[in-house]
Amino acid sequence: MTFARHAPIDDREFIPRIPSWVTAARAETLEDVAFLSGAVLNHLHVVMGRGDVPHTLLRDRLALRAAEACMAFSGRPERAGELRDAVHLLRPGDLPGPVGDTCLTWRRAVQRPVSIKALGRALPTLEPDQIATWLDAGPQGGSCAPVRRAALVLEAVLTAAPRADVSALILADAALAQALGWDHLVPLLAAGLKQADLRKRGADLRLACHRAVSASGTEAVRLAADLARRAADLKAVAPKLRAKGAGDAVEMFLTRDAVTPAALPLPDRAARRLCDRLVDLGAVRELTGRDTFRLYGV
């Protein structure tokens, strides 16, 4: 199912937060935790149908957070800044290395609607038949509650390939998206799970997945609200930009977590001036804090 997109809303409206009775609850039993994760997913589903949310940008930023979590699972110290550098500062012919590869894998996973072909593009080491088999893990071809289905897929992949954290988490998020009727994968599980959770099985793993969805879903709603506001600010200043190609540049900022001036459809000098102008207008941020090799994003 594709989300029904509504017309842009009035500036006075805002994306409501998840009710405090959901975020403040301290549930312990599987039944209670499942109830709360369902409440979070319901709220997130409504948010994901809003026309003011920059959905592609949101997925790309959540993909970065998922990649960051996977780096931590593997014991590596790289965080968001290093992940961005590993992807956006690649020169032609360079190999991304394990850090960049993990980040690119997550980015590819969220770019296209969920399908066996799209997942195979993101996970080229897996055969399509294997992807299909894992996505159908669980009773009756995977027809069960969304988080339970995701947990079953996660367990199936990690049982067969204990070191395949990235593949397992991507396929679990894909199963969650399919069960919810979402057209694209929205990374939720990786950022909410702990390394020890990946060794759990059965009811313990389901409990961990429900908690992960509650935590990450809450953060996704907060991020969606923040990006919707920032996107509105960028669109508001767009008419003030006179550089040829500025419209296409704005669209890049609205769909990508980070952008280098060199990636913009303008000459190098004009691209740098445009980035500086957008920072001065408060429409984008410089993400690195460096004087050179800078990256910019909403």
Side-chain angles (χ1 to χ4, degrees), residues 205-287:
L205 181 58
R206 290 202 303 276
L207 182 65
C209 287
H210 280 296
R211 285 178 171 151
V213 166
S214 292
S216 292
T218 300
E219 177 59 20
V221 170
R222 187 207 63 77
L223 181 60
D226 181 57
L227 292 179
R229 184 178 67 253
R230 292 179 181 276
D233 290 342
L234 177 56
K235 291 175 183 177
V237 304
K240 302 177 182 179
L241 307 174
R242 298 180 180 178
K244 185 177 180 181
D248 292 335
V250 166
E251 184 60 28
M252 290 178 67
F253 282 114
L254 290 171
T255 56
R256 302 186 187 185
D257 163 68
V259 177
T260 63
L264 297 176
L266 292 88
D268 183 64
R269 245 171 144 182
R272 294 179 187 278
R273 283 200 302 269
L274 176 64
C275 290
D276 290 340
R277 171 76 168 146
L278 289 171
V279 170
D280 290 341
L281 291 170
V284 303
R285 298 171 294 159
E286 201 288 309
L287 301 173

Side-chain angles (χ1 to χ4, degrees), residues 105-172:
T105 296
W106 275 103
R107 293 186 71 200
R108 287 192 292 265
V110 303
Q111 285 172 351
R112 299 184 180 186
V114 175
S115 67
I116 301 300
K117 183 177 180 180
L119 290 169
R121 177 177 173 268
L123 303 169
T125 61
L126 299 183
E127 295 294 330
D129 288 347
Q130 183 62 79
I131 292 175
T133 297
W134 276 332
L135 283 180
D136 283 338
Q140 300 178 15
S143 58
C144 56
V147 177
R148 184 186 176 206
R149 181 179 170 190
L152 288 169
V153 171
L154 185 60
E155 181 171 350
V157 180
L158 290 176
T159 298
R163 293 178 175 270
D165 295 356
V166 175
S167 297
L169 290 162
I170 285 175
L171 293 178

Side-chain angles (χ1 to χ4, degrees), residues 2-298:
T2 301
F3 290 112
R5 300 288 167 80
H6 307 297
I9 60 174
D10 185 269
D11 287 342
R12 292 169 295 179
E13 297 188 55
F14 62 95
I15 295 175
R17 295 180 180 179
I18 293 175
S20 59
W21 65 263
V22 176
T23 56
R26 293 293 180 266
E28 295 296 333
T29 68
L30 179 57
E31 180 182 23
D32 289 342
V33 174
F35 175 77
L36 293 176
S37 72
V40 170
L41 285 173
N42 180 70
H43 193 93
L44 179 59
H45 185 82
V46 173
V47 168
M48 294 296 288
R50 292 175 62 110
D52 55 331
V53 173
H55 299 273
T56 303
L57 173 57
L58 174 63
R59 292 195 303 269
D60 201 36
R61 192 148 292 175
L62 290 173
L64 176 70
R65 294 186 178 185
E68 186 178 19
C70 288
M71 288 292 99
F73 292 154
S74 64
R76 297 186 64 102
E78 291 87 357
R79 294 298 178 259
E82 290 88 351
L83 288 165
R84 286 184 174 122
D85 285 352
V87 170
H88 295 287
L89 300 185
L90 279 176
R91 293 174 297 183
D94 285 352
L95 295 175
V99 177
D101 187 58
T102 297
C103 193
L104 287 170
T105 296
W106 275 103
R107 293 186 71 200
R108 287 192 292 265
V110 303
Q111 285 172 351
R112 299 184 180 186
V114 175
S115 67
I116 301 300
K117 183 177 180 180
L119 290 169
R121 177 177 173 268
L123 303 169
T125 61
L126 299 183
E127 295 294 330
D129 288 347
Q130 183 62 79
I131 292 175
T133 297
W134 276 332
L135 283 180
D136 283 338
Q140 300 178 15
S143 58
C144 56
V147 177
R148 184 186 176 206
R149 181 179 170 190
L152 288 169
V153 171
L154 185 60
E155 181 171 350
V157 180
L158 290 176
T159 298
R163 293 178 175 270
D165 295 356
V166 175
S167 297
L169 290 162
I170 285 175
L171 293 178
D173 274 326
L176 182 66
Q178 287 182 326
L180 291 165
W182 294 354
D183 52 348
H184 283 78
L185 184 157
V186 178
L188 293 177
L189 288 167
L193 289 169
K194 300 175 182 177
Q195 185 176 16
D197 292 331
L198 300 179
R199 297 191 293 271
K200 296 177 179 177
R201 298 293 182 264
D204 289 340
L205 181 58
R206 290 202 303 276
L207 182 65
C209 287
H210 280 296
R211 285 178 171 151
V213 166
S214 292
S216 292
T218 300
E219 177 59 20
V221 170
R222 187 207 63 77
L223 181 60
D226 181 57
L227 292 179
R229 184 178 67 253
R230 292 179 181 276
D233 290 342
L234 177 56
K235 291 175 183 177
V237 304
K240 302 177 182 179
L241 307 174
R242 298 180 180 178
K244 185 177 180 181
D248 292 335
V250 166
E251 184 60 28
M252 290 178 67
F253 282 114
L254 290 171
T255 56
R256 302 186 187 185
D257 163 68
V259 177
T260 63
L264 297 176
L266 292 88
D268 183 64
R269 245 171 144 182
R272 294 179 187 278
R273 283 200 302 269
L274 176 64
C275 290
D276 290 340
R277 171 76 168 146
L278 289 171
V279 170
D280 290 341
L281 291 170
V284 303
R285 298 171 294 159
E286 201 288 309
L287 301 173
T288 68
R290 298 187 296 243
D291 292 329
T292 58
F293 300 106
R294 289 182 160 187
L295 299 174
Y296 298 83
V298 170

